[in-house]
């Protein structure tokens, strides 16, 4: 009986793994080869980044201290471009879009790819041959709750960075609050630490999920339009932050704290690391999509493909599936990687809810778009009631704060992201004039908020110095009061300013 049970369990596992391979986005041999090549590229980046991190630059000339840390940045921009060129020119796995190479055979052709085919019926710009589809394309579906989630996450990012400024016993180049006596306010410092830990555990992976959800729709509009959009909407803002926002914040904070200028323009990705990695993942998506045969005949073939894709719809992941991927990729694998690569990895901060968690959630966003997970009520797709799911998320969050471990960290990353999506889909799935303004401002706010945070911090320090002086006896009031002042004033300034910038003639097409 035990042997029969084990055999049945092994059979179920084999069937489960086979279905995952069959239903995944990487179901062809060429796609698997291209995926493997990108994995090898990632392994190479890990090796180079570890070598650079082991170099002691303290005794080197100033110019070398500047250029050596920028090597990972160059790897993020230059290397992927060259790598994609090699894949196109020499590997033979990636093919350019079929519309550029298809020949006229007297039979109309249509573009159908594993990930973009389901989009043809919902996006009017998905292709040029909609008249040959079995059903005419419908109006593009809107997801107001995702816009509201982005607004929420962006506000959390600002609060997160303000909390970091007030909990560290050091000078930061983005924020200049100094907390010399944290033992006077241990509970306040612990609260900020818990807040930032809980944020770090899920909010950037959820950003990757939402961004990935719209990638197939964007790519379905055409390869060239897709590339131009990514260069303009992702790369240009990232370069602006790297070479303008961060150096200005850095030099200004140094001057305010030390009273002298250091004439060294020191670019750094700062919060733009998310944009660089998002750009790379978009390139990876393109490579995988274009590594499949994209030309089919429309003589019944389009309808067959649509029916096949519909039959291959992957159901929403069960609780055990989510826990499995969360614990393994967002927990155990990530924890191992953090043990060998601390600080950052090619500009990406290595903390809970990073690296493998970001990659998993990006892939989950692609799957969510392909299989229509967000078109239905997420709560109804759960295999457990919300009365059990929400307390489970709370327990996972408590463990992350009080007893951090790979299991709870990984489970919290996936479940907390899902909890936020469920809450906003159920209770905030609407648009108002204010919500549209906030959603329009969120991206610009993400780019510029560190400068506003620096300004409000300086204003508070000067006001405090004028009113109370600089005595240590008021240190508790200085820190707690400063946190409240900077929190309120930063949000009060940066949201209207961001919206105003998005209305400018040139910037409105970029941000």
């Amino acid at each position: 009986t035990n042997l029969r049970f084990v055999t049945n369990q092994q059979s179920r596992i084999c069937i489960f793994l086979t279905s995952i391979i069959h239903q995944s986005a990487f179901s062809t041999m060429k796609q698997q080869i291209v995926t493997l090549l990108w994995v090898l590229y990632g392994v190479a980046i890990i090796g180079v980044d570890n070598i650079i991190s082991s170099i002691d630059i303290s005794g080197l000339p100033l110019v070398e201290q500047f250029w050596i840390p920028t090597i990972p940045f160059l790897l993020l921009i230059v290397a992927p471009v060259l790598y994609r060129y090699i894949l196109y020119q020499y590997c033979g796995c990636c093919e350019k879009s079929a519309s550029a190479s298809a020949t006229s055979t007297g039979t109309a052709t249509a573009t159908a790819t594993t990930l973009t085919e389901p989009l043809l019926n919902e996006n009017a710009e998905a292709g040029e041959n909609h008249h040959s589809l079995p059903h005419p394309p419908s109006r593009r579906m809107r997801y107001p709750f995702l816009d509201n989630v982005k607004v929420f996450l962006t506000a959390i990012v600002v609060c997160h960075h303000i909390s970091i400024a007030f909990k560290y016993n050091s000078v930061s180049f983005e924020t200049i609050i100094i907390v010399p006596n944290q033992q006077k306010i241990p509970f306040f410092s612990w609260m900020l630490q818990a807040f930032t830990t809980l944020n770090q555990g899920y909010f950037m992976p959820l950003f990757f999920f939402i961004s990935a959800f719209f990638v197939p729709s964007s790519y379905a509009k055409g390869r060239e339009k897709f590339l131009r959009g990514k260069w303009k909407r992702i790369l240009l803002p990232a370069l602006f932050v790297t070479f303008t926002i961060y150096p200005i914040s850095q030099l200004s904070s140094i001057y305010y704290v030390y009273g002298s200028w250091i004439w060294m323009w020191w670019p750094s990705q700062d919060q733009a690391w998310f944009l660089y990695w998002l750009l790379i993942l978009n390139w990876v998506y393109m490579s995988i999509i274009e590594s499949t045969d994209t030309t089919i005949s429309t003589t019944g073939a389009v309808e067959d493909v649509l029916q096949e894709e519909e039959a291959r719809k992957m159901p929403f992941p069960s609780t055990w599936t989510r826990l499995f991927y969360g614990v393994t990729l967002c927990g155990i694998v990530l924890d191992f990687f953090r043990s060998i690569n601390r600080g950052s990895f090619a500009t990406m901060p290595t903390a809970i809810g990073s690296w493998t968690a970001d990659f998993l959630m990006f892939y989950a966003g692609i799957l969510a778009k392909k299989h229509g997970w967000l078109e239905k009520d997420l709560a109804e797709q759960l295999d457990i009631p919300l009365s059990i799911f929400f307390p489970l998320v709370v327990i996972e969050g408590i463990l992350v704060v009080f007893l951090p471990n790979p299991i709870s960290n990984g489970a919290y990353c996936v479940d907390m992201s899902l909890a936020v999506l469920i809450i906003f889909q159920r209770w905030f799935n609407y648009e108002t004039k204010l919500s549209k303004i906030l959603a329009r401002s969120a991206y610009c706010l993400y780019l510029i908020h560190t400068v506003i945070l620096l300004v409000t911090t300086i204003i508070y320090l000067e006001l405090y110095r004028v009113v109370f002086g600089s005595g240590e006896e008021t240190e508790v009031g200085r820190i707690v009061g400063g946190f409240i002042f900077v929190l309120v004033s930063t949000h009060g300034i940066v949201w209207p300013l961001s919206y105003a910038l998005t209305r400018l003639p040139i910037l409105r097409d970029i941000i």
Side-chain angles (χ1 to χ4, degrees), residues 73 76-77 204 207-208 211 230-242 245 269-283 346-349 358 362 442-444 446-448 510-511:
F73 164 75
L76 281 179
I77 296 301
M204 294 315 297
F207 264 127
F208 276 102
S211 300
K230 300 310 173 185
W231 291 123
K232 181 173 68 173
R233 292 271 298 163
I234 298 180
L235 182 59
L236 287 181
L239 293 176
F240 178 77
V241 171
T242 300
I245 296 293
Q269 80 289 339
D270 205 27
Q271 69 269 24
W273 71 265
F274 167 72
L275 302 180
Y276 290 122
W277 276 99
L278 186 60
L279 191 62
I280 288 182
L281 293 176
N282 276 271
W283 284 334
T347 76
M348 178 189 290
D358 295 332
F362 185 89
Y443 186 37
C444 180
Y446 180 84
L447 299 174
I448 69 171
I510 300 176
I511 56 176

Side-chain angles (χ1 to χ4, degrees), residues 160 168 193-206 208 273 326-327 329-339 341-344 348-359 361 396-414 416-417:
H160 182 85
Y168 281 146
Q193 178 63 47
F195 177 71
T196 54
T197 299
L198 291 174
N199 296 336
Q200 191 68 51
Y202 81 95
F203 68 163
M204 294 315 297
L206 188 51
F208 276 102
W273 71 265
V327 170
L329 294 180
C330 304
I332 298 174
V333 175
L334 176 59
D335 198 62
F336 171 76
F337 178 75
R338 291 175 60 199
S339 66
N341 194 308
R342 296 190 177 275
S344 64
M348 178 189 290
T350 51
I352 64 170
S354 65
W355 202 55
T356 49
D358 295 332
F359 301 157
M361 293 300 287
E396 293 168 352
I398 293 174
L399 292 176
V400 167
V401 173
F402 291 97
L403 190 63
N405 61 86
I407 296 177
S408 60
N409 292 350
Y412 172 78
C413 176
V414 175
M416 183 60 184
S417 300

Side-chain angles (χ1 to χ4, degrees), residues 62-79:
L62 191 60
V63 176
E64 295 185 19
Q65 292 186 32
F66 164 73
W67 280 109
I68 290 179
T70 61
I71 293 178
F73 164 75
L74 295 176
L75 290 175
L76 281 179
I77 296 301
V78 180

Side-chain angles (χ1 to χ4, degrees), residues 126-145:
E128 301 177 356
N129 296 308
H130 289 301
H131 61 276
S132 62
L133 294 179
H135 304 285
S138 59
R139 186 176 180 271
R140 184 177 180 180
M141 187 173 182
R142 289 285 300 158
Y143 302 90
F145 77 96

Side-chain angles (χ1 to χ4, degrees), residues 62-244:
L62 191 60
V63 176
E64 295 185 19
Q65 292 186 32
F66 164 73
W67 280 109
I68 290 179
T70 61
I71 293 178
F73 164 75
L74 295 176
L75 290 175
L76 281 179
I77 296 301
V78 180
V81 175
L82 297 177
Y83 196 68
R84 289 198 72 244
Y85 175 80
I86 293 173
L87 288 179
Y88 275 111
Q89 298 297 325
Y90 302 107
C91 175
C93 295
C94 298
E95 303 290 343
K96 292 191 177 181
S97 60
S99 59
S101 60
T103 59
S104 176
T105 61
T107 305
T109 58
T111 299
T113 61
T114 303
L115 286 184
T116 57
E117 183 64 38
L119 304 175
L120 296 178
N121 283 335
E122 69 175 40
N123 194 334
E125 300 178 60
E128 301 177 356
N129 296 308
H130 289 301
H131 61 276
S132 62
L133 294 179
H135 304 285
S138 59
R139 186 176 180 271
R140 184 177 180 180
M141 187 173 182
R142 289 285 300 158
Y143 302 90
F145 77 96
L146 289 182
D147 288 337
N148 296 332
V149 171
K150 286 189 291 185
V151 171
F152 168 75
L153 292 178
T154 306
I156 290 294
V157 168
V158 178
C159 298
H160 182 85
H161 288 157
I162 295 174
S163 300
I164 290 176
F166 281 84
K167 77 184 180 71
Y168 281 146
N169 188 19
S170 63
V171 179
S172 170
F173 284 142
E174 296 113 2
T175 52
I176 53 179
I177 281 283
I178 305 176
V179 189
N181 296 308
Q182 286 192 2
Q183 65 273 15
K184 292 184 178 181
I185 45 175
F187 180 71
F188 182 70
S189 300
W190 176 85
M191 286 181 58
L192 297 182
Q193 178 63 47
F195 177 71
T196 54
T197 299
L198 291 174
N199 296 336
Q200 191 68 51
Y202 81 95
F203 68 163
M204 294 315 297
L206 188 51
F207 264 127
F208 276 102
F209 175 90
I210 296 174
S211 300
F213 183 78
F214 295 102
V215 168
S217 299
S218 179
Y219 182 77
K221 299 176 182 178
R223 181 178 182 274
E224 297 303 323
K225 190 173 183 179
F226 177 81
L227 282 175
R228 285 196 302 269
K230 300 310 173 185
W231 291 123
K232 181 173 68 173
R233 292 271 298 163
I234 298 180
L235 182 59
L236 287 181
L239 293 176
F240 178 77
V241 171
T242 300
F243 292 98
T244 303

